[in-house]
Structures are given as C-alpha cells and as structure tokens.
Amino acid sequence: LTTQVATLQTEVDDIIGGIVEIGTCGENIHYVLYENGKLLLHGSGATYDYEIGRSPFWEREDIRSLVIGEGITAIGTSVFERCYNMATVTFPSTLTTIKARAFFMYTQGGLTSLTIPPTITTIGEKAFVDQALTSIIMPATLTTLGTYIFDGSATLRTARIECAEVPGFLFAMCNRLSDVTLSHNVTKIGSHWINYCNSLTQLTYEGSLDDWAAVTKGANWDGRGGQLTGTLIRVNCLDGHMEYDSENNEWVEVRE
C-alpha cells in the first residue's frame, strides 16, 4: 500500500494538489483524499461494509468528488453515507453492486447527477436517499433492487426506467418528479413507488394497453390507498391511455 500511494502521489500531486489523507476501505482497496476534495479509490474487489457512522468517510465535509478506479466491483453498505458535499461520482466499468445506504443522506445531499453504468446489476435499499439529483435512468441490466432507493430526492424531475422490476417506494417523497417513462421491459411495479410524488400527474409506458394490463402492480402502485390520494391520473400507452376515474376510484382504459 505504501509503495502504491507513494507512486500515485508522485504522479498526481502536480495536477490536483497535495494529499490530505490515505487509508484502506477494503481488503484490496486503498483511498487517497486530496486538498481539492477529490477522493480516489484504487484496487480490486469490494469495499468493506460499515455500520452506520463507522465509515472513514462518515459526514466528511471535505469530500467533494469521488472517482472509483477500475477493478473495484462493489460499494459496500454505508460507505459514503452523509458525505453532503460530494457533488460528482465516477463509476468504473468493473462495478456490479452498490449496497444499501451507500450514498444515503439524512438531509439534502450534494450529488446532482448520476450515471448508472450497464455493468451494475444490484442497488441496495436507500442507496441514494435525499440526493440532489434532477434526472435518473435505470438501465435494463439492473436485476436486484432494494426499496426506497431515491426516496426524498426533492430536486428529482425526470426518470426513465428500463429494468424489468420497479422496486417499492422507489421515488417516495420526490415531490418535484413530473416526467416518468417506463420501458416496455417493465413487467412488475412495486408497492408505493410514487407515494407523495405530488407533481406527477401522468406517466408514459412504452407498450400497448394490453401490455400494461399484464404488468404486475403492487399495492398502492398509483400513490393511492388509505390516507393517500395520489395525483397520477393518466398512463399513456402506444395505442391509448389509462385514465383514473375519481368518482368510482378505478382506472379506465381508453383506446385511440
């Protein structure tokens, strides 16, 4: 590790500034934090999983950007939790897994953009809670997803979902979300996925009405149920749309 860090320091010091801290966050992963707030992770395999508050990056205000090097395959539990000033993240092509609460924020975080590479198959629950994202694309390669992934992202406005299953509570409390597209790949929608999305009045499904009818939908999938009223009133399909009948509390098919 000492040799690796010394070599890295020689190569990059003149470019991005002095080294503030070095350490390990995985069996074969070391990190370097620079004066300008850039955090670099190098090595192979998975980072450690951490209990809440135990990560070396917990509530670090001096971390402003993150670059995860090639060879790293998984980001462990709660690794970057409450790094409120982290504005950018770069993922490697080797990454397959982002575990629960990896980038969880208790109040609004600083992450404004996020690109999920097609190599990632797994994102754990609450991974990006309360981040400052404005748009998100969930690629078709995602196969294992936890609940509440983007819960509380108050700035999120646009979302496209290409994976087969939409997890429960995915966009709960994303009150500015107004533009949602579901790919024809979607076969299952989890419960409460748009709870309290008060700006979402319609969404687009890239399949036919018959295809939409075949999609498995969990309880309160439309944000309604119990004390929830929901604002979604229309689902646009290729050959028509579904329209919510508020008098009879049911969805009605309208073919065009």
Side-chain angles (χ1 to χ4, degrees):
L1 174 63
T2 303
T3 302
Q4 289 175 314
V5 171
T7 301
L8 181 62
Q9 180 173 0
T10 301
E11 294 175 346
V12 303
D13 253 5
D14 290 338
I15 301 174
I16 62 174
I19 289 177
V20 173
E21 183 180 321
I22 63 174
T24 59
C25 56
E27 185 174 350
N28 297 304
I29 298 175
H30 64 272
Y31 68 85
V32 186
L33 178 61
Y34 294 91
E35 288 178 348
N36 65 355
K38 177 176 285 188
L39 179 66
L40 303 179
L41 268 59
H42 291 271
S44 60
T47 72
Y48 294 131
D49 294 323
Y50 292 94
E51 296 293 329
I52 296 174
R54 298 295 184 179
S55 166
F57 313 120
W58 167 260
E59 292 190 338
R60 293 287 296 264
E61 296 181 358
D62 51 351
I63 298 175
R64 300 188 177 279
S65 63
L66 171 65
V67 177
I68 301 175
E70 292 293 324
I72 295 175
T73 58
I75 300 173
T77 305
S78 295
V79 181
F80 303 110
E81 187 164 348
R82 299 197 187 190
C83 292
Y84 294 111
N85 293 325
M86 184 187 291
T88 63
V89 175
T90 302
F91 294 134
S93 63
T94 52
L95 193 69
T96 64
T97 302
I98 299 173
K99 290 191 178 181
R101 301 177 68 96
F103 295 89
F104 180 97
M105 298 294 121
Y106 185 69
T107 58
Q108 195 71 42
L111 192 61
T112 57
S113 64
L114 177 66
T115 300
I116 301 173
T119 55
I120 294 179
T121 61
T122 301
I123 300 179
E125 67 174 7
K126 302 180 181 179
F128 295 97
V129 166
D130 285 337
Q131 289 287 6
L133 302 170
T134 56
S135 65
I136 189 68
I137 297 175
M138 300 181 68
T141 46
L142 292 170
T143 57
T144 305
L145 297 168
T147 54
Y148 294 96
I149 292 176
F150 299 106
D151 175 47
S153 295
T155 54
L156 188 65
R157 297 178 182 274
T158 303
R160 176 176 174 81
I161 301 175
E162 299 174 348
C163 48
E165 295 191 12
V166 180
F169 297 91
L170 177 63
F171 298 125
M173 303 295 294
C174 295
N175 10 4
R176 293 189 182 179
L177 183 65
S178 60
D179 183 359
V180 175
T181 299
L182 302 179
S183 163
H184 184 233
N185 292 332
V186 173
T187 59
K188 183 178 180 180
I189 297 175
S191 301
H192 307 277
W193 73 295
I194 52 172
N195 274 16
Y196 300 106
C197 291
N198 299 328
S199 297
L200 186 64
T201 59
Q202 59 181 307
L203 61 82
T204 299
Y205 171 67
E206 296 177 333
S208 67
L209 286 166
D210 289 340
D211 294 331
W212 176 252
V215 173
T216 301
K217 304 172 184 70
N220 310 119
W221 71 269
D222 59 358
R224 294 181 174 85
Q227 296 181 346
L228 300 174
T229 57
T231 56
L232 186 69
I233 58 173
R234 181 172 173 135
V235 178
N236 296 309
C237 301
L238 294 178
D239 56 350
H241 66 272
M242 299 296 297
E243 190 173 283
Y244 188 72
D245 180 352
S246 57
E247 290 186 4
N248 297 304
N249 296 320
E250 63 181 9
W251 284 92
V252 179
E253 182 182 282
V254 179
R255 293 189 176 268
E256 298 171 354

